[in-house]
Coordinates of all heavy atoms in Angstrom, one line a residue:
H1 N -28.3 53.9 16.1 CA -27.9 53.2 14.9 C -27.6 54.1 13.8 O -26.7 54.0 13.0 CB -28.8 52.0 14.5 CG -28.5 51.4 13.3 ND1 -29.5 51.6 12.2 CD2 -27.5 50.7 12.8 CE1 -29.0 50.9 11.2 NE2 -27.8 50.3 11.5
I2 N -28.6 55.1 13.6 CA -28.5 55.9 12.4 C -27.4 57.0 12.5 O -26.7 57.3 11.5 CB -29.9 56.7 12.2 CG1 -30.8 55.6 11.8 CG2 -29.8 57.8 11.3 CD1 -32.3 56.2 11.8
L3 N -27.1 57.4 13.7 CA -26.2 58.5 13.9 C -24.8 58.0 14.3 O -23.8 58.9 14.4 CB -26.7 59.5 15.0 CG -28.0 60.3 14.7 CD1 -28.4 61.1 15.8 CD2 -27.8 61.1 13.4
L4 N -24.7 56.7 14.6 CA -23.4 56.2 15.0 C -22.2 56.5 14.0 O -21.2 56.9 14.5 CB -23.5 54.6 15.2 CG -22.3 54.0 15.8 CD1 -21.9 54.7 17.2 CD2 -22.6 52.5 16.0
P5 N -22.4 56.3 12.8 CA -21.3 56.7 11.8 C -20.8 58.2 11.9 O -19.6 58.4 11.8 CB -21.9 56.4 10.4 CG -23.0 55.5 10.6 CD -23.5 55.9 11.9
F6 N -21.8 59.1 12.2 CA -21.3 60.5 12.5 C -20.5 60.7 13.8 O -19.8 61.7 13.8 CB -22.6 61.4 12.5 CG -23.4 61.4 11.3 CD1 -24.5 60.7 11.2 CD2 -23.0 62.3 10.3 CE1 -25.3 60.7 10.0 CE2 -23.8 62.3 9.1 CZ -25.0 61.5 9.0
M7 N -20.4 59.7 14.5 CA -19.6 59.8 15.7 C -18.3 59.1 15.5 O -17.2 59.5 15.8 CB -20.3 59.2 17.0 CG -19.4 59.1 18.2 SD -19.1 60.8 19.0 CE -20.8 61.2 19.6
I8 N -18.3 58.0 14.7 CA -17.1 57.1 14.5 C -16.1 58.0 13.6 O -15.0 57.9 13.8 CB -17.5 55.8 13.9 CG1 -18.3 55.0 14.9 CG2 -16.2 55.1 13.4 CD1 -18.8 53.7 14.3
L9 N -16.7 58.6 12.6 CA -15.8 59.1 11.6 C -14.9 60.3 12.1 O -13.7 60.2 11.9 CB -16.7 59.7 10.3 CG -17.3 58.6 9.5 CD1 -18.1 59.3 8.4 CD2 -16.3 57.7 8.9
P10 N -15.4 61.2 12.9 CA -14.6 62.3 13.5 C -13.5 61.6 14.5 O -12.4 62.1 14.5 CB -15.5 63.2 14.2 CG -16.8 62.9 13.6 CD -16.8 61.6 13.2
M11 N -14.0 60.6 15.4 CA -13.1 60.1 16.3 C -12.0 59.3 15.5 O -10.8 59.3 16.0 CB -13.9 59.2 17.2 CG -14.8 59.9 18.3 SD -15.3 58.9 19.7 CE -16.3 57.8 18.9
Y12 N -12.3 58.5 14.6 CA -11.4 57.8 13.9 C -10.4 58.7 13.1 O -9.1 58.5 13.1 CB -12.0 56.9 12.7 CG -11.0 56.3 11.8 CD1 -10.2 55.4 12.1 CD2 -11.0 56.9 10.5 CE1 -9.3 54.7 11.1 CE2 -10.2 56.3 9.6 CZ -9.3 55.3 9.9 OH -8.3 54.8 8.9
S13 N -10.8 59.8 12.6 CA -10.0 60.8 12.0 C -9.0 61.4 12.9 O -7.8 61.5 12.6 CB -10.8 61.9 11.3 OG -10.1 62.8 10.7
V14 N -9.4 61.7 14.2 CA -8.4 62.2 15.1 C -7.5 61.1 15.6 O -6.3 61.4 15.8 CB -9.2 62.9 16.3 CG1 -8.3 63.2 17.5 CG2 -9.9 64.1 15.8
M15 N -8.0 59.9 16.0 CA -7.2 58.9 16.5 C -6.1 58.4 15.6 O -5.0 58.0 16.0 CB -8.2 57.6 16.9 CG -9.0 57.9 18.1 SD -10.1 56.5 18.4 CE -11.0 57.1 19.8
S16 N -6.5 58.5 14.2 CA -5.4 58.0 13.3 C -4.2 58.9 13.2 O -3.2 58.5 12.7 CB -6.0 57.9 11.9 OG -6.6 59.2 11.4
T17 N -4.3 60.1 13.8 CA -3.2 61.0 13.8 C -2.4 61.0 15.1 O -1.4 61.7 15.1 CB -3.7 62.5 13.6 OG1 -4.6 62.9 14.7 CG2 -4.6 62.7 12.3
I18 N -2.9 60.2 16.0 CA -2.1 60.1 17.2 C -0.9 59.2 17.1 O -1.0 58.1 16.7 CB -3.0 59.5 18.5 CG1 -4.2 60.4 18.6 CG2 -2.2 59.3 19.7 CD1 -5.2 59.9 19.7
P19 N 0.3 59.8 17.3 CA 1.5 58.9 17.1 C 1.5 57.7 18.0 O 1.4 57.8 19.3 CB 2.7 59.9 17.4 CG 2.1 61.3 17.3 CD 0.7 61.1 17.7
K20 N 1.8 56.5 17.5 CA 1.8 55.3 18.3 C 3.1 55.3 19.1 O 3.1 54.5 20.1 CB 1.8 54.1 17.3 CG 0.5 54.0 16.6 CD 0.6 52.8 15.6 CE -0.9 52.5 15.1 NZ -1.3 53.7 14.2
T21 N 4.1 56.1 18.8 CA 5.3 56.2 19.7 C 5.0 56.6 21.1 O 5.7 56.2 22.0 CB 6.3 56.9 19.0 OG1 5.8 58.3 18.7 CG2 6.8 56.4 17.7
Y22 N 4.0 57.5 21.2 CA 3.6 57.9 22.5 C 3.2 56.8 23.4 O 3.6 56.7 24.6 CB 2.5 59.0 22.5 CG 2.9 60.2 21.8 CD1 4.2 60.5 21.4 CD2 1.9 61.3 21.7 CE1 4.5 61.7 20.8 CE2 2.2 62.5 21.2 CZ 3.6 62.7 20.7 OH 3.8 63.8 20.2
V23 N 2.5 55.9 22.9 CA 2.0 54.7 23.8 C 3.2 53.8 24.0 O 3.3 53.3 25.1 CB 0.9 53.9 22.9 CG1 0.5 52.6 23.6 CG2 -0.3 54.8 22.6
R24 N 4.0 53.6 23.0 CA 5.2 52.7 23.3 C 6.1 53.4 24.3 O 6.7 52.7 25.2 CB 6.0 52.4 22.0 CG 5.1 51.5 21.0 CD 6.2 50.9 20.0 NE 6.6 51.9 19.2 CZ 6.0 52.4 18.0 NH1 4.9 51.8 17.6 NH2 6.6 53.3 17.3
A25 N 6.2 54.7 24.2 CA 7.1 55.4 25.2 C 6.6 55.3 26.6 O 7.3 55.1 27.6 CB 7.3 56.8 24.8
S26 N 5.3 55.4 26.8 CA 4.6 55.3 28.0 C 4.8 54.0 28.7 O 5.3 53.9 29.9 CB 3.2 55.6 27.9 OG 2.5 55.4 29.2
K27 N 4.7 52.9 27.8 CA 4.8 51.5 28.4 C 6.3 51.3 28.7 O 6.6 50.6 29.7 CB 4.3 50.5 27.4 CG 2.8 50.5 27.2 CD 2.3 49.5 26.2 CE 0.8 49.5 26.1 NZ 0.3 48.4 25.2
S28 N 7.2 51.8 28.0 CA 8.6 51.6 28.3 C 9.0 52.3 29.5 O 10.1 51.8 30.2 CB 9.4 52.1 27.1 OG 9.4 53.5 27.0
L29 N 8.3 53.2 30.0 CA 8.6 53.9 31.2 C 7.9 53.3 32.3 O 7.9 53.8 33.5 CB 8.2 55.4 31.2 CG 9.0 56.2 30.2 CD1 8.4 57.7 30.1 CD2 10.5 56.3 30.7
G30 N 7.2 52.1 32.1 CA 6.6 51.4 33.2 C 5.1 51.6 33.4 O 4.6 50.9 34.4
A31 N 4.5 52.4 32.6 CA 3.1 52.6 32.8 C 2.3 51.3 32.4 O 2.6 50.5 31.5 CB 2.5 53.7 31.9
T32 N 1.1 51.0 33.0 CA 0.3 49.9 32.7 C -0.5 50.3 31.5 O -0.6 51.5 31.0 CB -0.7 49.6 33.9 OG1 -1.5 50.8 34.1 CG2 0.1 49.2 35.2
D33 N -1.2 49.2 31.0 CA -2.0 49.5 29.7 C -3.1 50.6 30.0 O -3.4 51.5 29.2 CB -2.7 48.2 29.2 CG -1.7 47.3 28.7 OD1 -0.6 47.8 28.3 OD2 -2.0 46.1 28.5
W34 N -3.8 50.5 31.2 CA -4.9 51.4 31.6 C -4.3 52.8 31.7 O -4.9 53.8 31.2 CB -5.6 50.9 32.8 CG -6.5 52.0 33.4 CD1 -6.3 52.7 34.5 CD2 -7.7 52.4 32.8 NE1 -7.4 53.6 34.7 CE2 -8.3 53.5 33.6 CE3 -8.4 52.0 31.6 CZ2 -9.5 54.0 33.3 CZ3 -9.6 52.7 31.3 CH2 -10.1 53.7 32.2
T35 N -3.2 52.9 32.4 CA -2.5 54.3 32.7 C -2.2 54.8 31.4 O -2.4 56.1 31.1 CB -1.3 54.1 33.6 OG1 -1.8 53.5 34.8 CG2 -0.8 55.5 33.8
T36 N -1.6 54.1 30.5 CA -1.2 54.6 29.2 C -2.3 55.1 28.4 O -2.3 56.1 27.8 CB -0.5 53.4 28.4 OG1 0.7 53.0 29.1 CG2 -0.2 53.9 27.0
F37 N -3.5 54.3 28.4 CA -4.6 54.7 27.7 C -5.2 56.0 28.3 O -5.5 57.0 27.6 CB -5.8 53.6 27.7 CG -7.0 54.1 27.2 CD1 -7.3 54.2 25.8 CD2 -8.0 54.4 28.1 CE1 -8.5 54.6 25.4 CE2 -9.3 54.8 27.6 CZ -9.5 54.9 26.2
W38 N -5.4 56.0 29.6 CA -6.1 57.1 30.3 C -5.3 58.4 30.4 O -5.8 59.5 30.2 CB -6.5 56.6 31.6 CG -7.5 57.7 32.4 CD1 -7.1 58.4 33.5 CD2 -8.7 58.1 32.0 NE1 -8.2 59.2 33.8 CE2 -9.2 59.0 32.9 CE3 -9.6 57.7 31.0 CZ2 -10.4 59.6 32.9 CZ3 -10.8 58.3 30.9 CH2 -11.3 59.1 31.9
R39 N -3.9 58.2 30.5 CA -3.1 59.4 30.7 C -2.5 59.9 29.3 O -2.0 61.2 29.3 CB -2.0 59.1 31.6 CG -2.5 58.7 33.1 CD -3.1 59.9 33.9 NE -2.0 60.9 34.0 CZ -1.1 60.9 35.2 NH1 -1.3 59.9 36.0 NH2 -0.2 61.8 35.3
V40 N -2.3 59.0 28.4 CA -1.7 59.4 27.2 C -2.5 59.4 25.9 O -2.6 60.4 25.3 CB -0.5 58.4 26.9 CG1 0.2 58.8 25.6 CG2 0.5 58.5 28.1
Y41 N -3.3 58.3 25.8 CA -4.0 58.2 24.6 C -5.4 58.9 24.5 O -5.6 59.7 23.7 CB -4.3 56.7 24.3 CG -4.9 56.5 22.9 CD1 -4.0 56.3 21.8 CD2 -6.3 56.4 22.7 CE1 -4.5 56.0 20.5 CE2 -6.8 56.1 21.4 CZ -5.9 56.0 20.3 OH -6.4 55.8 19.1
F42 N -6.1 58.7 25.7 CA -7.5 59.3 25.8 C -7.4 60.9 25.6 O -8.3 61.4 24.9 CB -8.1 58.9 27.0 CG -9.5 59.4 27.1 CD1 -10.6 58.9 26.5 CD2 -9.8 60.5 27.9 CE1 -11.8 59.5 26.6 CE2 -11.1 61.0 28.1 CZ -12.2 60.4 27.3
P43 N -6.5 61.6 26.3 CA -6.6 63.1 26.2 C -6.3 63.6 24.8 O -6.9 64.6 24.3 CB -5.5 63.6 27.1 CG -5.3 62.4 28.1 CD -5.6 61.1 27.3

């Protein structure tokens, strides 16, 4: 509970810079939500 904010802040800072167009492009090419997340967003 005490250290959780120290994990959220760096992850949020990086995630907010990931272009949302990558996710839309993946789905438009037929990828499922899980594949899009695991192959495009998570890395």
Side-chain angles (χ1 to χ4, degrees):
H1 168 250
I2 290 169
L3 298 177
L4 188 58
F6 294 99
M7 181 66 74
I8 294 175
L9 292 176
M11 289 196 296
Y12 168 72
S13 180
V14 171
M15 290 178 181
S16 61
T17 63
I18 299 176
K20 294 179 175 58
T21 55
Y22 291 0
V23 175
R24 291 196 295 268
S26 175
K27 291 182 177 180
S28 68
L29 292 174
T32 62
D33 289 343
W34 170 251
T35 303
T36 298
F37 170 77
W38 186 248
R39 300 287 298 275
V40 177
Y41 190 87
F42 182 77

